[in-house]
């Protein structure tokens, strides 16, 4: 850490306590693995090697015998100290997988993965309810079959390795945009080892979300849950492919360290779930899971160590509840449109209506917005939304997120002791 500006008292100075300020800068990096392909990606044709005649076997055996003799001589010389200062080429010639500069999200290039026609017939839905809490083993058995390896081939011969989550039985898969951005081809490997070529529905690099699809049926789709219901300290779990394909299907656990954490990434502010569940390169696009076996987030990045700061256990995931509409936009349009809005702002803490019910106080109404057109005014109390009681501002947000642009949200409004229903026709926001 940088210990500048500590103002430590010098000898002979007063003994008044002084403020100590610790300053640090820790890089936030996407957790995607890059490697130089040792073999073709799944589905790519392998080179045909002609069958050798039997005399090739004899040549091979003679060569092996010569190699053994030479190896014996070299070993004897090495033991005698003849190669005292020699370093193996393995020390330097292999690519460093964990160099923080290996991935540059600002220069991903054009993504040329084959695109599929967009559709409004498929949507990602999340459940606001849940069953009984599961054991760790049950969570893994439930979610691991829905977790896939995503391999993206780049034009320079390298490949990006990330993770994805199946959300429909016919092969729609959610992952991070940075896993596939700039790629020319994409493959998905199921937990069974089966591989498929994937096509692209849509991606948004700023939101770091992408939807891809494989031609398959009967797949185990994950259950998605309400990330707004998370609280600090809740147990969470992550499944992914840390450090590439060799360790795919790795389960780690931790807790929710913070919710609604604003993180600045490449000049873009993202509101994320913070967790101390271990996330490593290759976990990008994988599920963050609650105790009910529901996917509540998509793991996207971690805060790494710098030359002055040692960092551990700072991972981040994209919350499902606040981004479900973005995911559905990617499916329907190939890009993210604006979020639907009511056009009002309410006080975060509830107030009490005349009959003792909890309600939300309207603080501001957007001129010519949907709420204004429905007759809502500043100072009104919103008691219900679509028939559901409102005990906090996030309750209204949760109901609103169930709707799309053009649909009607019914609000029970109280004004001066009188109640009426306001039919709010939702519109997309301009941002």
């Amino acid at each position: 850490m940088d210990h500048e500006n500590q103002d430590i008292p010098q000898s002979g100075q007063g003994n008044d306590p002084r403020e100590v300020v610790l300053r640090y800068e820790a890089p936030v990096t996407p957790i995607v693995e890059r490697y130089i392909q040792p073999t073709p990606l799944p589905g790519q044709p392998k080179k045909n090697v002609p069958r050798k005649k039997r005399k090739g076997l004899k040549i091979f055996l003679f060569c092996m015998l010569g190699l053994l003799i030479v190896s014996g001589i070299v070993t004897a010389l090495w033991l005698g100290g003849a190669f005292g200062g020699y370093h193996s080429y393995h020390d330097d010639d292999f690519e460093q997988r964990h160099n923080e500069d290996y991935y540059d999200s600002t220069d991903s290039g054009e993504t040329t993965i084959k695109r599929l026609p967009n559709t409004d017939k498929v949507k990602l839905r999340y459940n606001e309810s849940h069953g009984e809490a599961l054991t760790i083993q049950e969570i893994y058995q439930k979610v691991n079959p829905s977790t896939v390896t995503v391999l993206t081939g780049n034009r320079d011969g390298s490949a990006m390795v990330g993770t994805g989550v199946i959300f429909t039985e016919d092969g729609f898969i959610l992952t991070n945009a940075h896993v596939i951005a700039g790629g020319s081809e994409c493959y998905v490997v199921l937990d069974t080892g089966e591989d498929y070529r994937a096509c692209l529905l849509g991606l948004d690099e700023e939101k770091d979300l992408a939807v891809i699809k494989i031609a398959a049926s009967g797949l185990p789709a994950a259950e998605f849950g309400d990330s707004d219901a998370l609280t600090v300290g809740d147990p969470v779990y992550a499944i992914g492919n840390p450090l590439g394909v060799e360790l795919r299907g790795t389960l780690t656990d931790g807790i929710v360290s913070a919710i609604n954490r604003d993180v600045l990434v490449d000049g873009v502010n993202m509101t994320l779930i913070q967790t101390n569940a271990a996330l490593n390169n290759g976990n990008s696009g994988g599920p963050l899971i609650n105790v009910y076996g529901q996917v509540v987030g998509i793991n996207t990045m971690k805060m790494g160590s710098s030359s002055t700061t040692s960092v551990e256990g700072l991972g981040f995931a994209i919350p499902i509840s606040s981004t479900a509409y973005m995911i559905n936009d990617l499916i329907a349009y190939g890009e993210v449109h604006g979020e639907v809005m009511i056009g009002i702002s309410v006080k975060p803490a509830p107030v009490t209506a005349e009959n003792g019910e909890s309600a939300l106080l309207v603080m501001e109404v957007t001129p010519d917005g949907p709420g204004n057109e429905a007759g809502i005014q500043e100072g009104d109390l919103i008691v219900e939304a679509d028939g559901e009681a409102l005990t906090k501002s996030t309750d209204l947000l949760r109901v609103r997120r169930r709707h799309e642009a053009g649909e009607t949200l019914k609000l029970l409004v109280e004004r001066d002791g009188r109640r009426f229903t306001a039919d709010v026709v939702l519109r997309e926001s301009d941002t």
Side-chain angles (χ1 to χ4, degrees), residues 378-400:
E378 182 180 333
D380 286 348
L381 299 181
I382 301 178
V383 183
E384 294 179 356
D386 284 349
E388 296 186 19
L390 303 175
T391 59
K392 52 186 180 299
S393 59
T394 53
D395 291 339
L396 178 59
L397 188 63
R398 180 179 294 108
V399 176
R400 189 206 68 190

Side-chain angles (χ1 to χ4, degrees), residues 3 64 73 135 143 213 241 280 400 403 416:
H3 294 271
M64 288 298 296
I73 296 172
T135 66
V143 184
K213 188 183 186 304
N241 309 305
N280 293 285
R400 189 206 68 190
H403 291 276
D416 299 327

Side-chain angles (χ1 to χ4, degrees), residues 122-349:
V122 177
K123 296 186 184 300
L124 183 144
R125 303 289 189 186
Y126 65 90
N127 295 324
E128 297 176 6
S129 60
H130 54 74
E132 297 293 325
L134 305 179
T135 66
I136 298 177
Q137 292 80 7
E138 289 171 336
I139 289 171
Y140 186 76
Q141 292 169 4
K142 178 179 179 179
V143 184
N144 187 58
S146 307
T147 306
V148 301
T149 304
V150 180
L151 303 170
T152 304
N154 300 317
R155 284 173 289 277
D156 62 0
S158 66
M160 307 299 284
V161 182
T163 307
V165 184
I166 301 170
F167 64 91
T168 70
E169 293 183 354
D170 59 345
F172 283 80
I173 296 168
L174 177 62
T175 188
N176 283 142
H178 72 255
V179 171
I180 64 170
S184 57
E185 55 188 340
C186 184
Y187 294 87
V188 166
V189 182
L190 306 183
D191 78 308
T192 60
E194 298 174 89
D195 60 80
Y196 296 84
R197 181 184 289 272
C199 295
L200 177 63
L201 268 295
L203 82 162
D204 188 299
E205 294 191 56
E206 185 173 293
K207 308 300 183 183
D208 203 14
L209 291 168
V211 177
I212 57 178
K213 188 183 186 304
I214 60 176
S217 59
L219 298 176
E223 178 187 359
F224 286 73
D226 184 4
S227 58
D228 284 342
L230 292 174
T231 59
V232 174
D234 284 350
V236 285
Y237 309 89
I239 300 177
N241 309 305
L243 309 186
V245 296
E246 295 88 352
L247 302 178
R248 72 176 189 265
T250 293
L251 171 72
T252 57
D253 68 330
I255 61 169
V256 175
S257 303
I259 56 175
N260 298 324
R261 179 70 82 192
D262 289 334
V263 181
L264 190 64
V265 184
D266 293 332
V268 178
N269 190 68
M270 301 180 70
T271 303
L272 305 171
I273 303 166
Q274 182 182 328
T275 177
N276 69 343
L279 302 177
N280 293 285
N281 294 341
N283 275 107
S284 280
L288 187 72
I289 311 157
N290 64 16
V291 293
Y292 310 106
Q294 299 171 319
V295 178
V296 290
I298 297 298
N299 299 316
T300 183
M301 64 187 66
K302 66 177 181 179
M303 193 167 287
S305 299
S306 68
S307 59
T308 59
T309 309
S310 178
V311 176
E312 294 182 4
L314 293 178
F316 300 91
I318 300 171
I320 290 299
S321 298
S322 59
T323 56
Y325 83 92
M326 302 180 191
I327 297 163
N328 291 330
D329 278 354
L330 292 177
I331 300 169
Y333 312 114
E335 60 185 7
V336 174
H337 288 189
E339 186 174 9
V340 295
M341 66 172 185
I342 304 174
I344 63 173
S345 63
V346 297
K347 189 176 181 179

Side-chain angles (χ1 to χ4, degrees), residues 1-40:
M1 289 187 180
D2 184 354
H3 294 271
E4 295 177 356
N5 300 329
Q6 293 189 23
D7 294 332
I8 299 175
Q10 302 298 317
S11 175
Q13 294 182 352
N15 295 322
D16 294 338
R18 301 295 183 92
E19 181 181 9
V20 177
V21 180
L22 302 182
R23 301 172 56 194
Y24 69 91
E25 291 184 3
V28 179
T29 58
I31 43 176
V32 63
E33 179 74 352
R34 181 176 182 178
Y35 71 105
I36 302 301
Q37 301 174 40
T39 57

